[in-house]
Amino acid sequence: MIDLNTLKEKLAQPCKIVITTHHKPDGDAMGSSLGLYNYLIQKGHYVKVVSPTDYPYFLQWLPNNPEVIIYTEKETESKVLVAEADIIFCLDFNTLSRINELGDEVRKAGGIKVMIDHHLEPEGFDDFRHWNINACATAELIYDFIANSLDDATLINKDVATCLYTGVMTDSGSFRFPNVTANLHRIVASLIDAGAENWRIHQQVYDNATEGRLKFLGYCLSNKLEVFREFNTALITVSKEDIAKFDIQTGETEGVVNYALSISGIKLAAFIVERKDKVKLSLRSIGTFPANEICKKYFSGGGHRNAAGGQSEDTFENVIEQFKAILPEYKNLLMQ
């Protein structure tokens, strides 16, 4: 590991820098990545954002989004960039399996690896760590890193602020989750002061749906929602055929699980979706119920206590039955 002074000395001169984030990046992942990008280019660095996969269309308006390279579309170029980088910033993930095949390239790269993240149990691949599990979003940590660690708050311009606001807004559930603190609101106020247009950002992310996505949401709620009152749990399941029927694109299933959690009395909500090569699970909970424990114990995943994810290579039908079979184990916690 290196200390902050060593990293600051490295950043004091122009460097080749790669920024990467987890596969199928969400608002916090892309907001953090492009927020840091828009800061670093002001310092004269040569910077590229490399995403392991594609990401939602409703995030592609972010400042300097055209500079993002998709690893699966430009594999050779991505590998060269990672191999030649002086510094690799790893944002919103803490284990290299979260960036798929790109993780092998990052692991063997000689550049300094900087992890900025708020998830539990880091793998330990990093050389420098700016990590806080109590942070609401990685974008919050990027703000802290720029403003406090690097003492460069004056370089948080409109582009940086817009990206970081997007990350904080999306990962905080529009500022309604328990880990939203007074200090986070102060950060948000400073981002608005720096030029972030809160109303416009919300509109771009949340009021930008396709017709198919709205019809898909209606279908999920009317046809695919199951409620288990004996466990205070709600479940939505979506097959490959459902995805194809509504032509659902990357990111368009995001947030569906929250509708299940919004039902009065529900403490645990699950969204299970069948993908081409595996079955994915998104869990949300309220209070002290450990959604991440279920994902880690049974579905090769993890995350935060109230927001977690997992996956399985078993059949879609078997994963659904497995999830239902787990519920009695947690009945006491769910019924408190």
Side-chain angles (χ1 to χ4, degrees), residues 29-243:
M30 292 311 302
S32 298
S33 296
L34 284 167
L36 183 60
Y37 172 92
N38 284 299
Y39 160 72
L40 290 170
I41 59 173
Q42 296 179 72
K43 304 286 285 187
H45 300 294
Y46 175 78
V47 191
K48 286 294 182 181
V49 176
V50 179
S51 173
T53 62
D54 63 346
Y55 51 95
Y57 63 86
F58 53 79
L59 297 174
Q60 295 180 17
W61 58 273
L62 287 167
N64 274 316
N65 177 78
E67 298 301 313
V68 177
I69 294 173
I70 310 298
Y71 175 82
T72 52
E73 297 175 3
K74 296 183 178 180
E75 186 174 327
T76 300
E77 181 181 354
S78 299
K79 288 180 177 180
V80 170
L81 287 168
V82 170
E84 294 182 350
D86 300 306
I87 303 174
I88 303 169
F89 282 94
C90 301
L91 309 185
D92 204 32
F93 71 94
N94 60 24
T95 178
L96 291 176
S97 63
R98 292 280 283 145
I99 57 174
N100 301 347
E101 294 85 357
L102 184 57
D104 294 331
E105 304 305 316
V106 171
R107 190 182 300 280
K108 66 186 182 184
I112 295 171
K113 300 171 184 69
V114 178
M115 186 194 81
I116 303 179
D117 182 54
H118 64 139
H119 294 93
L120 296 167
E121 300 176 352
E123 175 187 329
F125 65 86
D126 48 314
D127 301 305
F128 180 86
R129 183 176 301 177
H130 193 74
W131 175 64
N132 183 355
I133 61 172
N134 295 315
C136 182
T138 295
E140 177 184 355
L141 294 174
I142 297 293
Y143 177 92
D144 180 61
F145 180 67
I146 296 171
N148 299 317
S149 297
L150 302 182
D151 196 25
D152 262 344
T154 57
L155 294 184
I156 299 178
N157 59 17
K158 182 176 181 178
D159 286 348
V160 176
T162 295
C163 295
L164 297 186
Y165 186 100
T166 301
V168 170
M169 178 190 74
T170 52
D171 239 34
S172 68
S174 295
F175 312 103
R176 74 180 190 271
F177 293 160
N179 55 359
V180 174
T181 63
N183 185 60
L184 181 68
H185 280 293
R186 294 185 190 100
I187 291 173
V188 167
S190 71
L191 295 176
I192 294 173
D193 285 341
E197 298 175 292
N198 56 309
W199 61 271
R200 179 175 175 271
I201 294 169
H202 189 280
Q203 184 179 59
Q204 291 276 28
V205 174
Y206 295 119
D207 301 331
N208 198 14
T210 62
E211 181 180 347
R213 202 267 178 178
L214 286 182
K215 290 180 177 178
F216 171 73
L217 177 59
Y219 171 76
C220 287
L221 298 179
S222 62
N223 295 85
K224 308 298 289 186
L225 173 66
E226 296 180 79
V227 178
F228 307 95
R229 286 293 178 184
E230 68 273 28
F231 302 114
N232 285 335
T233 295
L235 169 65
I236 295 174
T237 59
V238 176
S239 68
K240 288 188 294 187
E241 290 75 21
D242 297 327
I243 294 292

Side-chain angles (χ1 to χ4, degrees), residues 267-306:
K267 288 191 174 181
L268 174 65
F271 180 73
I272 301 177
V273 57
E274 184 183 22
R275 298 295 186 185
K276 292 180 180 179
D277 57 344
K278 62 188 68 176
V279 178
K280 305 279 286 187
L281 299 89
S282 294
L283 268 59
R284 299 292 184 270
S285 68
I286 61 172
T288 59
F289 186 83
N292 56 343
E293 181 181 312
I294 292 178
C295 288
K296 181 179 179 181
K297 188 174 180 180
Y298 294 102
F299 299 109
S300 303
H304 305 290
R305 182 179 63 191
N306 298 127

